[in-house]
Amino acid sequence: MSQPQLSRALLQNLGMFRNLPDADLDSILQHARVCRLQEGDAAFLQGEDAAEFFVLLSGRLKVVQVTPEGEQIIVRHVNPGDIFGMAKAMSRRQYPASTVAVQESLALAWPAAAWDTLVSRSPQFAAGAIQTVGQRLQDAHSRIRELSTEEVEQRVARALLRLVESSSTQTLEGQEIDFPITRQEIAEMTGTTLHTVSRLLSAWKNDGIILSGRRRITVCSVDKLAQLARAEPPATPNAN
Amino acid sequence: MSQPQLSRALLQNLGMFRNLPDADLDSILQHARVCRLQEGDAAFLQGEDAAEFFVLLSGRLKVVQVTPEGEQIIVRHVNPGDIFGMAKAMSRRQYPASTVAVQESLALAWPAAAWDTLVSRSPQFAAGAIQTVGQRLQDAHSRIRELSTEEVEQRVARALLRLVESSSTQTLEGQEIDFPITRQEIAEMTGTTLHTVSRLLSAWKNDGIILSGRRRITVCSVDKLAQLARAEPPATPNAN
DNA sequence: CGTCCCGTTGATCCCTATCAAATGTAGTGG
DNA sequence: CCACTACATTTGATAGGGATCAACGGGACG
């Protein structure tokens, strides 16, 4: 089991691992398993026994729930540096969702038991975990608020903005989303259908707000998109 | 400042406070402030500085967010034994929502600083907090899934079932929800309008599934309601 | 006994899901 | 290098679930 050299540098800037002494970090790294994922591979599946928790080093994952009726929704995306699969830490037996790579990814995995060790060894780690979960709870509440009160157009606009925010690259034309994404997936993020998403994106493409190809989206005008996300701009923004 | 006698018994069965030595519990109780709330009173308001966290001893609260446009949504209800207002523990400066009594209530409040003391004194306390927040995150994801994929009727049915589950009393006619609740509030829980809720409840009343008066709801047939929550029963459930 | 809320019920409209094809685009294997 | 296949996207037509607009009725409380 000769692990590749895992550097402390991987973890020590990762929020929850901050404030841990180097010795602890080293010991933690020794128990880590490296987890390589090709696009489409799952780190784990909904309902599986929550045996491990993970940190994403590189790439991008989506967290997916399937409803009893077989529909999918995307709960969130996992970015490099994020912890995921903390089910056991929340005292869940099984993972409540599947986590799937949307591009080639690299993660570290630890046996769930290691969690308790970490928490008891460092109150800061526990505090970091609470903060992380708390942030996700905030995000979830935001989405609930949006799903409850906003129209599809605003929700889709907001979803794009979040993607730009969390993982996009500046290009000549604008901010390009770093990983391949389909209309179907955007629909699963916003509680609508791929048809409606397609129509919206087509309209926005006509207005020069975005560019898009197969599984690629570039946001040209973040401002106009933010405008749309706020509210329906009254067709005539006042001759002013 | 002669506090009423606060018994350890109030806390020691409260999940997060379990596993704390009696001496610690006593010391914790000494720093608690008693917080009495009349119906309609707020423990704190959205946007206020998160100076305290709370435990509800008796009564019932609702956690409410207002959107930029002034619409309200009910994030969750707080039941006796629940912790609320943990914003500071999640490193939020301000409370992200208001918390308002829907009936006369009694709570304990601690200065936010006490949180860190608790976490560092007891890893179990930290673990309990993570579990609590994790459970709420699960619940939030369930709601997102429902808002994304289900129809209004199912969502309202499910909301009623949850209320029955968490705070109802068996009466002659069925399970009566313990606190006053309006159609408007149910609408705010389910992302719809009071009109639609009223229509649904009227229909269900006709079918003998519920009884309702002003701000009062009794569920007579939990089974039929669960049926409705699952899916639209095809008008003819098959002559079987 | 009047006023304030809360609840009920019509009528109408419109956003968006659904149904149905056609077109485009990558990848594959011959 | 091209035909073939699988998957993504686009676009039209249609229908329907709920929101919205508008009144009215009824119980509680001062």
Side-chain angles (χ1 to χ4, degrees):
Chain A
M1 294 292 266
S2 80
Q3 294 254 338
Q5 270 295 82
L6 292 175
S7 160
R8 294 195 285 258
L10 289 176
L11 291 184
Q12 64 191 1
N13 292 317
L14 242 51
M16 301 195 22
F17 294 94
R18 216 182 316 255
N19 295 109
L20 282 178
D22 280 6
D24 283 358
L25 271 182
D26 286 340
S27 127
I28 288 163
L29 281 168
Q30 283 184 5
H31 296 283
R33 172 179 81 83
V34 174
C35 174
R36 235 173 273 280
L37 298 170
Q38 295 302 312
E39 185 178 327
D41 289 352
F44 52 81
L45 295 175
Q46 183 172 348
E48 271 183 18
D49 241 43
E52 298 180 308
F53 68 93
F54 304 77
V55 166
L56 184 63
L57 295 179
S58 69
R60 206 82 48 177
L61 313 176
K62 61 177 175 181
V63 179
V64 183
Q65 271 195 355
V66 301
T67 70
E69 292 79 33
E71 290 177 282
Q72 277 201 354
I73 69 154
I74 295 181
V75 171
R76 66 185 180 103
H77 282 95
V78 179
N79 295 308
D82 287 352
I83 289 217
F84 64 100
M86 326 167 45
K88 204 58 169 292
M90 306 171 185
S91 308
R92 316 256 106 210
R93 279 281 168 71
Q94 290 94 20
Y95 295 112
S98 302
T99 298
V100 177
V102 296
Q103 62 181 184
E104 195 182 351
S105 298
L106 198 62
L108 294 180
W110 286 270
W115 182 271
D116 298 324
T117 311
L118 278 168
V119 169
S120 56
R121 194 171 304 181
S122 154
Q124 291 96 326
F125 183 84
I130 295 176
Q131 184 177 347
T132 298
V133 181
Q135 181 58 54
R136 288 186 200 161
L137 185 58
Q138 297 294 313
D139 293 346
H141 284 161
S142 295
R143 264 182 86 183
I144 290 174
R145 181 164 30 75
E146 290 163 18
L147 284 165
S148 296
T149 64
E150 294 183 349
E151 315 232 308
V152 170
E153 183 172 33
Q154 300 172 54
R155 302 205 305 263
V156 174
R158 227 182 273 282
L160 278 192
L161 288 172
R162 279 204 259 263
L163 290 173
V164 166
E165 189 62 34
S166 67
S167 52
S168 70
T169 313
Q170 177 74 48
T171 69
L172 286 175
E173 292 102 351
Q175 300 285 334
E176 178 175 6
I177 291 168
D178 288 334
F179 56 90
I181 186 166
T182 67
R183 322 279 138 148
Q184 175 66 39
E185 287 175 316
I186 295 176
E188 289 169 1
M189 296 170 64
T190 52
T192 179
T193 64
L194 78 162
H195 306 276
T196 299
V197 172
S198 177
R199 278 181 240 272
L200 286 170
L201 295 197
S202 293
W204 294 345
K205 204 192 294 189
N206 282 336
D207 295 349
I209 300 175
I210 66 165
L211 287 175
S212 82
R214 186 191 171 87
R215 308 218 290 164
R216 286 284 157 198
I217 298 177
T218 301
V219 175
C220 308
S221 169
V222 175
D223 287 349
K224 285 188 191 166
L225 205 54
Q227 195 93 156
L228 289 171
R230 253 186 289 289
E232 297 308 286
T236 351
N238 236 332
N240 217 349
Chain B
M1 295 293 267
S2 80
Q3 294 253 338
Q5 270 296 82
L6 291 176
S7 160
R8 294 195 285 258
L10 288 175
L11 291 184
Q12 66 191 0
N13 290 317
L14 243 52
M16 300 194 22
F17 292 94
R18 217 183 315 256
N19 295 108
L20 283 178
D22 280 6
D24 283 359
L25 272 182
D26 286 340
S27 123
I28 289 163
L29 281 169
Q30 283 184 5
H31 297 284
R33 171 179 81 83
V34 174
C35 174
R36 234 173 273 279
L37 298 170
Q38 294 302 313
E39 184 178 327
D41 289 353
F44 52 80
L45 294 176
Q46 183 173 347
E48 272 182 18
D49 242 43
E52 298 179 307
F53 68 93
F54 303 77
V55 166
L56 184 63
L57 295 179
S58 69
R60 206 80 51 178
L61 314 175
K62 61 178 177 182
V63 180
V64 182
Q65 270 195 355
V66 301
T67 70
E69 291 80 31
E71 289 176 282
Q72 276 202 354
I73 68 154
I74 295 182
V75 172
R76 67 182 179 106
H77 282 96
V78 179
N79 295 307
D82 289 352
I83 288 218
F84 64 100
M86 325 166 45
K88 204 55 168 296
M90 307 171 187
S91 307
R92 320 255 102 209
R93 279 283 169 70
Q94 289 94 20
Y95 295 113
S98 302
T99 298
V100 177
V102 296
Q103 59 183 184
E104 196 182 351
S105 298
L106 198 61
L108 295 180
W110 287 269
W115 182 271
D116 298 323
T117 312
L118 278 168
V119 169
S120 56
R121 194 172 305 181
S122 155
Q124 290 96 327
F125 183 85
I130 294 176
Q131 184 178 346
T132 298
V133 181
Q135 180 58 53
R136 287 184 199 163
L137 185 58
Q138 296 294 313
D139 293 347
H141 285 161
S142 294
R143 264 181 87 182
I144 289 174
R145 182 165 28 76
E146 291 163 18
L147 284 165
S148 296
T149 65
E150 295 183 349
E151 316 233 307
V152 171
E153 183 173 35
Q154 302 171 55
R155 303 204 305 264
V156 174
R158 227 183 272 283
L160 278 192
L161 287 171
R162 278 203 258 264
L163 290 174
V164 166
E165 189 62 37
S166 67
S167 53
S168 69
T169 313
Q170 177 75 47
T171 69
L172 285 174
E173 292 101 353
Q175 299 284 335
E176 178 175 5
I177 291 168
D178 285 336
F179 56 89
I181 186 166
T182 67
R183 323 279 139 147
Q184 175 66 38
E185 286 175 316
I186 295 176
E188 288 168 3
M189 296 169 64
T190 52
T192 179
T193 63
L194 77 162
H195 306 275
T196 299
V197 172
S198 177
R199 279 183 240 272
L200 285 170
L201 295 196
S202 292
W204 294 345
K205 205 192 294 189
N206 282 334
D207 295 349
I209 298 175
I210 66 165
L211 286 177
S212 81
R214 187 191 172 87
R215 307 219 290 165
R216 285 285 159 196
I217 299 177
T218 301
V219 175
C220 307
S221 169
V222 174
D223 288 347
K224 285 189 189 163
L225 205 55
Q227 195 95 156
L228 288 171
R230 252 186 289 291
E232 297 306 287
T236 352
N238 236 333
N240 217 348

